Amino acid sequence: MLSLLMLFPFFSAFVALFLQKEDSKSFAILVSFLILALNVFLLLNYHGGIAYEFSLNSLIVNFHIGVDAIALYLMLLCSIMIFLSFVCLDIQDKSVVVSIFLLQFCIIGLFASLDALLFYVFWEFSLIPLIYLIGRYSNNYKAGIKFFIYAFCGSMLMLLAIIYVGFLYYQNFGYWSFDLLAWYKSEFFIPENAQNLVFLGFFIAFAIKSPLFPFHTWAPKVYAKSPTLVSVMLVSFKMAPFGFLRFILPLTPDTLNHYYSLLAVLCIVGILYAALIAFRTKDLKELIAYSSISHLGVVILGIITFTYNGVSGSVFYMFAHGIVTGGLFLAAYMLYKRYHTFDLDFYKNLAKNTPLFSFFFAVLLFSSISLPLTISFVGEFLILQGVASVNLWYALFAGGVIILGAIYMLNIYRNMFFNASEEKLEKLVLKKGEIFVLSVLSALVIYLGVAPSTMLDQIASNVNTVLEIMQTRNIAIENQKIIDSIRGF
């Protein structure tokens, strides 16, 4: 079933090549809904551990796939946002449909990969449809080039790290292996110095894609100047945070322990820096972009605490961030389609002209500032709880994002929707498809805010597994240090 979910978008992209232009959107909606339904089916039938495992050996890359609840929920996030984007957005070109389905194929393959080289293949191949969409449809191709250069350089470092870990495995056991489940075994010992090199390669690659300060400079312009569909995809595909969970936490726990303070400071600086820029921007899409970067710093901060609350909160917040920020990008598109501008000073007194849209926008906005009983509050609360258990000061500084976020988001909402204006804007009447999209997003925001255990209970055992692997590897490192000190090394 997992192979079917992964290959469905690939063959759909091939079929889309032969569609008539006017059939592109209806085909995209139908196929993306079927992929979403299959994703939900796999999640409902998931019973723990690594499920739906399939392996096919080859000379170069072992096709080894399988998923846990974390991967399934991140796949579900992608499927939801692709389906809703196709419903909401105007799809005028079948090349867009082909590109998105190829991208979905890569993302599902990446989340399902249990072989490091296979993970890298999907990671790298996902750049092709993204660069095509940015290059052809954005109004700032230089931002796309910058994104490609950053991403490609990070990918090269990740490939070197993967090959190096494979070589370390060869030194331990006499044969090469890139199987992640083999890498996670306690018998596979990675020395402390080697962990530093492995960490550096993976961290830079994932920090660029996250995007994490100071590797974030490509992101604001790409988010703001790219087509809305690309912006939604970039915030929905949690490839880099997932990479932290798959590679950095299980393989380099000693390095994380050693450099935790430095990494935490980078996350906190990024959180506050992006929030302050968001406070000053006058472009709605740029504001959402900087807000997104700020909140992604919270996600990474939770992951590197390697506490149960921190990691589980980060996984939950990944899902929440994709729903809320992706929803805000779609809402911004709805405004742009009517009024042809993202200039915040243009929008005044929208609540009077667009009461229904004002309500939906408020739900998404209140969730973005982590209002209790919304989806973002749960993840952010757990993350800060995990950070506080490690260092209270870091939690207090990181909590500043909640205060800053509330200030600039509520200020923007007041100015856009309630400030009086002499100029009367044309009344915004939502289409049925747009009402459906905003209703689904709002329902998810409220439901998972009220009943977060629906997701948290399923990911609990997977988070514990990651933490157990880290603990086992830490013990092995400490034992080796004792042995080395006895030998006089």
Side-chain angles (χ1 to χ4, degrees):
M1 290 298 288
L2 180 59
S3 300
L4 177 61
L5 176 62
M6 191 169 71
L7 294 174
F8 200 169
F10 179 81
F11 288 113
S12 299
F14 179 75
V15 173
L17 289 171
F18 303 97
L19 293 175
Q20 297 296 323
K21 182 178 179 179
E22 59 272 14
D23 298 329
S24 297
K25 179 165 182 172
S26 56
F27 175 81
I29 293 172
L30 174 62
V31 172
S32 59
F33 175 76
L34 292 175
I35 293 170
L36 174 59
L38 184 56
N39 207 144
V40 171
F41 175 81
L42 292 180
L43 188 57
L44 292 175
N45 288 275
Y46 173 77
H47 299 296
I50 300 295
Y52 310 112
E53 196 172 352
F54 176 77
S55 181
L56 182 64
N57 296 329
S58 68
L59 293 175
I60 302 175
V61 178
N62 289 332
F63 188 80
H64 185 192
I65 59 174
V67 287
D68 57 12
I70 296 172
L72 281 171
Y73 269 105
L74 295 180
M75 288 179 187
L76 179 64
L77 171 62
C78 299
S79 299
I80 290 171
M81 296 312 298
I82 288 174
F83 169 64
L84 295 180
S85 296
F86 279 140
V87 172
C88 177
L89 303 177
D90 293 328
I91 307 297
Q92 302 294 338
D93 195 335
K94 65 182 179 183
S95 63
V96 174
V97 177
V98 173
S99 298
I100 293 300
F101 282 140
L102 285 177
L103 188 57
Q104 188 172 19
F105 161 69
C106 295
I107 300 304
I108 292 175
L110 181 144
F111 288 142
S113 295
L114 293 178
D115 182 274
L117 283 179
L118 186 64
F119 180 96
Y120 173 78
V121 168
F122 284 119
W123 175 282
E124 196 71 4
F125 188 66
S126 67
L127 281 176
I128 297 174
L130 269 177
I131 292 298
Y132 171 78
L133 290 170
I134 294 172
R136 179 165 181 179
Y137 297 101
S138 74
N139 54 7
N140 189 343
Y141 73 94
K142 290 183 179 179
I145 293 173
K146 188 175 184 179
F147 165 64
F148 175 78
I149 293 171
Y150 268 67
F152 183 76
C153 291
S155 297
M156 289 299 99
L157 290 174
M158 181 171 68
L159 178 60
L160 291 175
I162 289 172
I163 294 173
Y164 184 51
V165 177
F167 173 71
L168 293 173
Y169 196 91
Y170 170 79
Q171 286 187 320
N172 274 261
F173 301 103
Y175 62 95
W176 291 77
S177 176
F178 297 96
D179 190 281
L180 289 178
L181 299 185
W183 285 6
Y184 294 161
K185 291 180 179 178
S186 58
E187 295 84 5
F188 178 35
F189 176 72
I190 302 179
E192 185 177 359
N193 291 336
Q195 279 195 33
N196 293 336
L197 293 174
V198 172
F199 172 83
L200 188 64
F202 282 121
F203 175 77
I204 293 177
F206 298 147
I208 289 171
K209 273 286 184 74
S210 290
L212 184 66
F213 179 89
F215 303 98
H216 69 288
T217 56
W218 64 268
K221 293 299 180 185
V222 172
Y223 284 9
K225 303 302 181 183
S226 295
T228 300
L229 185 59
V230 174
S231 302
V232 174
M233 296 305 103
L234 286 172
V235 299
S236 301
F237 300 157
K238 304 302 182 187
M239 302 160 62
F242 181 75
F244 272 86
L245 296 174
R246 276 289 189 260
F247 292 94
I248 291 181
L249 262 66
L251 300 179
T252 63
D254 196 64
T255 302
L256 269 177
N257 272 319
H258 191 71
Y259 293 106
Y260 171 74
S261 294
L262 174 61
L263 297 175
V265 169
L266 285 179
C267 290
I268 292 168
V269 170
I271 292 166
L272 299 177
Y273 169 75
L276 288 172
I277 295 180
F279 186 78
R280 296 295 302 273
T281 186
K282 294 298 181 182
D283 183 283
L284 177 58
K285 220 175 169 193
E286 277 194 16
L287 180 141
I288 299 169
Y290 278 110
S291 174
S292 171
I293 294 169
S294 180
H295 287 97
L296 281 167
V298 179
V299 171
I300 304 302
L301 183 62
I303 290 174
I304 63 174
T305 62
F306 37 86
T307 61
Y308 174 78
N309 283 341
V311 177
S312 59
S314 291
V315 174
F316 193 92
Y317 200 46
M318 286 183 220
F319 191 88
H321 180 266
I323 294 294
V324 173
T325 308
L328 286 172
F329 274 126
L330 291 176
Y333 166 81
M334 294 175 196
L335 287 175
Y336 183 83
K337 189 166 66 171
R338 270 79 172 188
Y339 306 115
H340 311 292
T341 182
F342 289 116
D343 185 2
L344 289 168
D345 292 332
F346 174 82
Y347 295 105
K348 304 290 182 183
N349 204 23
L350 283 174
K352 187 175 181 180
N353 294 326
T354 61
L356 184 59
F357 178 81
S358 302
F359 167 75
F360 286 128
F361 197 91
V363 171
L364 295 171
L365 182 139
F366 287 146
S367 182
S368 74
I369 63 174
S370 299
L371 187 74
L373 301 181
T374 65
I375 188 172
S376 298
F377 172 79
V378 178
E380 207 159 73
F381 178 80
L382 288 172
I383 289 170
L384 293 178
Q385 196 175 38
V387 176
S389 67
V390 177
N391 188 303
L392 182 60
W393 285 107
Y394 292 158
L396 291 174
F397 280 113
V401 71
I402 301 174
I403 299 171
L404 284 174
I407 293 171
Y408 68 75
M409 281 297 193
L410 291 176
N411 183 56
I412 291 301
Y413 189 76
R414 182 195 64 188
N415 291 339
M416 289 179 62
F417 289 88
F418 295 105
N419 268 9
S421 174
E422 295 180 2
E423 296 183 14
K424 285 191 175 182
L425 295 179
E426 180 186 348
K427 191 170 183 179
L428 192 159
V429 180
L430 293 174
K431 298 178 181 178
K432 291 180 180 179
E434 293 170 335
I435 294 174
F436 170 77
V437 168
L438 293 173
S439 298
V440 170
L441 293 171
S442 299
L444 287 170
V445 164
I446 295 169
Y447 174 71
L448 286 175
V450 174
S453 59
T454 305
M455 180 175 173
L456 289 172
D457 289 347
Q458 284 192 292
I459 66 173
S461 62
N462 304 135
V463 171
N464 283 326
T465 299
V466 173
L467 297 177
E468 286 169 7
I469 294 169
M470 289 185 66
Q471 185 178 12
T472 302
R473 201 171 292 280
N474 261 328
I475 291 171
I477 287 285
E478 292 302 319
N479 290 342
Q480 189 62 41
K481 286 181 180 178
I482 294 171
I483 294 170
D484 289 344
S485 65
I486 293 172
R487 290 175 176 174
F489 292 150

